[in-house]
Amino acid sequence: MTTTDRAVTMCEAFQRTAAIQPDAVALRTVGGGQTLTWREYAEQVRLAAAGLAGLGVSRGDTVSLMMANRVEFYPLEVGAQHSGATSFSVYNTLPAEQLTYVFENAGTKVVICEEQYVDRIRASGAPIEHIVCIDGAPDGVLSVADLYAAAADDFEFEQTWRAVQPEDILTLIYTSGTTGNPKGVEMTHANILFEGYAVDEVFGIEFGDRLASFLPTAHIADRMCGLYIQEMFGTQVTTVADPRAIVAALPDARPTVWGAVPRVWEKLKAGIEFTVSNETDETKRSALQWAMSVADKRAQALLAGEPMSDELAAEWTQADEQVLSKLREKLGFGELRWAISGAAPVPKETLAFFAGIGIPIAEVWGMSELSCAATASHPRAARLGTVGKLLPGLEGRIAEDGEFLVRGPLVMRGYRKELAKTAEAIDADGWLHTGDIFEMDADGYLRVVDRKKELIINAAGKNMSPANIENTILAACPLIGVVIAIGDGRPYNTALLVFDADSVGPTAARHGLEASPAALAADPQIVAQVAAGVAAANEKLARVEQIKRFRILPTLWEPGGDEITLTMKLKRKPIAAKFAAEIEELYAAEPGPDIHEPAKPVPATASA
């Protein structure tokens, strides 16, 4: 497709796509109990657009959606686009007081939601004109049937969507700020279309490609990959309402293209390793262990930056034919063409593990202010430890202080009603100041060092990346879900560790403990296991970066809580304030019993 043939609004893109194979399945739930063809999808989009217009929604108004990942979301969202509205999702976990700010900042006119959120939306007190409920009919709330019935007999559907312009605001993404209210990133139809076509140019997307939607639709990653890519290219989306069920859903969804956040890839890795070690059939277990050992050799070669020897390549081909291809099929990745990881740094060891079993993953980098991904390389051209190259059509440069600056059609229009903050982010020459420190190699491959404002500068003046330290520990400690490295202005680095919520129950059961993070944090065997992991991580870090002491907190950190944002970013300043006493004890001359040091496991044959 040439640039002159490309759609100029998301409405035009959807209309073109829906006409390709009208009877093909566009949307489905896990198991296929609910499906929607492109013909049905397009008709429901028409009904939703007409109904919203009947409620007084017109070009430039704002419609908010609040629901789980479900089939019903798509025609309602796309219908809002066709009415000319700015449509966006809010995080389902937001309390009423935060909904007040978001709805008022967005100028929300209509909210479309699940019944369970109606009371909270009302409690926000925001001046919303209509609430449409998709799965119930509380008093004073419209049903979807009521929405459809609100349409005027003379509504001109095609005239309405064709009036939408490329520079109209398509959506808002509220960045989950680590302090203060979130900022509403305004993205135009032109922004998102440029992103989609650039991603297609790098990776290749085909009509009928399959993927699974499981991240919140308020997250730009799901909006881009699950919604907008579908509108543009005709992917088949399987909706997964509970993100914790994504691993179990993959064999049903059978994605051909897919993206996930690092924690999902790490959980998949842990699940594969558990399956291999707990296979009860001795013959199958031996075959799996042999194939995984060959995969590990391939992974180690990648980590070392060395090509596979002819002997290893031949052995891997044999392992793939006999075992690894069947493993991928069991996982749901039998027809996977490419995969990406984004939203947060992913350990190189995790990427190498998957490449070893025949699932090459490309790490991408981006931000809401850049309409999702801004750097990428196809897995066959990716370089471990980098986030690929700048997408075609963008300009990038590294400032004197190392900050990465980007200019081009992906740059947001601005922050909603925040002119001063917009001016801070985008300079007079159109460069977006990303706040990330980057390095670039001679071939244009980019590596993220860390957030500019989050670098650790120790007492000796040494600059370090906390994210690098934290990811190295996470890769070596499968029981741990969150790590925060401490060391700014300190003589050495320490860390607070928090268990992975999904690991607490199974780990407690295996050790005969109460299923709580406090019980695990107090157990000597668990502490020794974590201490060994931290010691293994330290071996991969420079001496000055190594963790000298750590503390396992007896609590869990929930997304959207005091410690981490809804998109799993650490709230470093609030954490430092909330856990000030615990942090000070990490540096005490005589630390208490909850302070631990990294320690290699003692061999079983060693004397006591």
Side-chain angles (χ1 to χ4, degrees):
M1 182 187 295
T2 64
T3 54
T4 54
D5 294 330
R6 292 175 174 176
V8 297
T9 68
M10 198 57 67
C11 308
E12 182 184 4
F14 176 84
Q15 291 299 322
R16 288 185 182 186
T17 300
I20 295 172
Q21 290 184 29
D23 294 322
V25 173
L27 295 158
R28 63 188 296 277
T29 54
V30 176
Q34 183 181 1
T35 62
L36 210 63
T37 66
W38 283 100
R39 189 189 309 279
E40 294 165 334
Y41 191 173
E43 178 56 25
Q44 289 186 24
V45 165
R46 177 187 291 268
L47 291 170
L52 287 167
L55 295 181
V57 173
S58 59
R59 184 179 166 206
D61 287 333
T62 305
V63 174
S64 303
L65 297 96
M66 191 172 183
M67 62 189 75
N69 301 52
R70 52 192 296 163
V71 167
E72 294 89 343
F73 162 79
Y74 288 80
L76 292 166
E77 157 73 32
V78 180
Q81 295 171 19
H82 280 66
S83 74
T86 296
S87 50
F88 77 102
S89 296
V90 297
Y91 284 102
N92 301 337
T93 52
L94 289 184
E97 57 270 22
Q98 290 187 32
L99 288 176
T100 305
Y101 173 80
V102 170
F103 289 147
E104 290 185 348
N105 179 261
T108 296
K109 196 168 189 176
V110 175
V111 178
I112 307 174
C113 67
E114 292 173 345
E115 184 175 11
Q116 61 177 314
Y117 302 123
V118 170
D119 288 345
R120 205 189 316 161
I121 292 166
R122 283 175 165 162
S124 74
I128 297 162
E129 294 183 13
H130 300 283
I131 298 175
V132 178
C133 185
I134 65 170
D135 57 355
D139 289 344
V141 171
L142 301 175
S143 67
V144 173
D146 294 331
L147 170 67
Y148 290 169
D153 292 337
D154 59 352
F155 175 69
E156 293 287 348
F157 176 65
E158 185 157 336
Q159 180 180 321
T160 301
W161 73 255
R162 287 193 181 278
V164 175
Q165 297 299 305
E167 295 306 320
D168 287 353
I169 299 170
L170 171 66
T171 194
L172 302 169
I173 295 292
Y174 279 87
T175 60
S176 46
T178 55
T179 57
N181 286 320
K183 298 187 290 289
V185 176
E186 295 179 329
M187 289 179 227
T188 66
H189 287 255
N191 287 149
I192 295 298
L193 286 164
F194 181 91
E195 167 81 7
Y197 289 126
V199 169
D200 176 49
E201 192 172 331
V202 173
F203 293 103
I205 306 166
E206 301 169 4
F207 184 92
D209 266 334
R210 299 184 298 271
L211 56 87
S213 165
F214 69 100
L215 292 171
T217 54
H219 195 299
I220 184 57
D222 189 81
R223 278 202 156 248
M224 192 66 230
C225 298
L227 172 66
Y228 300 133
I229 289 292
Q230 185 197 44
E231 290 184 69
M232 294 174 67
F233 301 107
T235 55
Q236 181 190 97
V237 174
T238 297
T239 60
V240 182
D242 183 353
R244 294 170 297 183
I246 182 59
V247 174
L250 288 172
D252 176 80
R254 296 182 302 117
T256 55
V257 299
W258 198 53
V261 295
R263 199 65 195 140
V264 172
W265 291 117
E266 288 157 15
K267 287 181 186 297
L268 273 168
K269 176 177 178 287
I272 293 168
E273 292 169 336
F274 180 83
T275 298
V276 172
S277 61
N278 288 274
E279 172 59 58
T280 54
D281 184 288
E282 188 174 340
T283 302
K284 290 182 179 178
R285 186 171 64 252
S286 295
L288 279 167
Q289 289 174 339
W290 164 71
M292 293 304 292
S293 71
V294 176
D296 184 61
K297 291 177 189 175
R298 186 185 191 189
Q300 295 308 315
L302 281 168
L303 286 168
E306 299 170 353
M308 283 197 298
S309 66
D310 291 342
E311 181 183 359
L312 176 56
E315 188 179 18
W316 189 88
T317 299
Q318 183 183 5
D320 187 55
E321 290 174 353
Q322 296 179 9
V323 180
L324 297 177
S325 59
K326 297 179 178 64
L327 176 62
R328 293 195 299 275
E329 186 66 39
K330 186 177 180 181
L331 291 170
F333 291 146
E335 297 178 37
L336 187 72
R337 293 206 319 280
W338 52 262
I340 59 175
S341 179
V346 61
K348 289 191 294 184
E349 293 80 4
T350 301
L351 295 176
F353 172 87
F354 281 101
I357 63 172
I359 304 173
I361 304 166
E363 187 174 7
V364 303
W365 170 87
M367 54 198 305
S368 299
E369 290 85 345
L370 288 169
S371 311
C372 199
T375 73
S377 289
H378 195 282
R380 62 174 171 260
R383 290 186 183 175
L384 215 55
T386 78
V387 291
K389 299 180 179 183
L390 205 60
L391 288 177
L394 296 180
E395 297 176 80
R397 65 183 179 88
I398 298 175
E400 289 184 8
D401 62 358
E403 183 179 10
F404 191 48
L405 278 55
V406 180
R407 183 166 66 183
L410 284 189
V411 175
M412 66 174 178
R413 177 165 164 174
Y415 294 121
R416 189 78 152 187
K417 301 175 184 176
E418 298 271 13
L419 294 178
K421 290 181 179 177
T422 299
E424 288 175 14
I426 306 171
D427 67 26
D429 294 321
W431 291 101
L432 176 77
H433 292 244
T434 67
D436 281 346
I437 302 296
F438 267 63
E439 294 176 350
M440 182 189 293
D441 69 17
D443 297 318
Y445 284 85
L446 294 153
R447 187 177 78 85
V448 183
V449 177
D450 212 322
R451 293 293 293 168
K452 182 178 175 180
K453 296 178 180 179
E454 294 179 356
L455 291 174
I456 290 174
I457 305 175
N458 69 8
K462 170 66 177 176
N463 285 25
M464 290 168 277
S465 162
N468 178 58
I469 296 167
E470 291 152 3
N471 281 319
T472 303
I473 296 171
L474 283 171
C477 299
L479 294 181
I480 300 301
V482 186
V483 177
I484 181 165
I486 312 294
D488 202 47
R490 305 280 190 170
Y492 53 84
N493 289 343
T494 61
L496 297 177
L497 277 57
V498 179
F499 286 113
D500 171 50
D502 293 340
S503 297
V504 170
T507 303
R510 286 198 299 272
H511 290 264
L513 301 170
E514 175 193 337
S516 72
L520 266 60
D523 183 75
Q525 279 187 291
I526 301 294
V527 171
Q529 188 176 339
V530 174
V534 176
N538 275 346
E539 291 182 359
K540 298 179 180 180
L541 295 169
R543 181 175 295 276
V544 72
E545 296 176 311
Q546 292 176 357
I547 298 299
K548 300 297 188 289
R549 292 176 178 174
F550 67 90
R551 182 176 196 140
I552 307 173
L553 297 177
T555 58
L556 297 175
W557 290 355
E558 298 294 336
D562 293 340
E563 302 86 9
I564 53 177
T565 70
L566 289 164
T567 54
M568 296 297 290
K569 294 182 177 68
L570 288 164
K571 299 181 179 180
R572 295 185 188 273
K573 288 183 179 178
I575 290 169
K578 183 174 180 177
F579 296 96
E582 289 86 347
I583 290 170
E584 286 307 316
E585 195 174 355
L586 286 164
Y587 294 93
E590 296 183 11
D594 295 329
I595 307 303
H596 310 292
E597 295 183 357
K600 295 181 181 180
V602 178
T605 55
S607 57

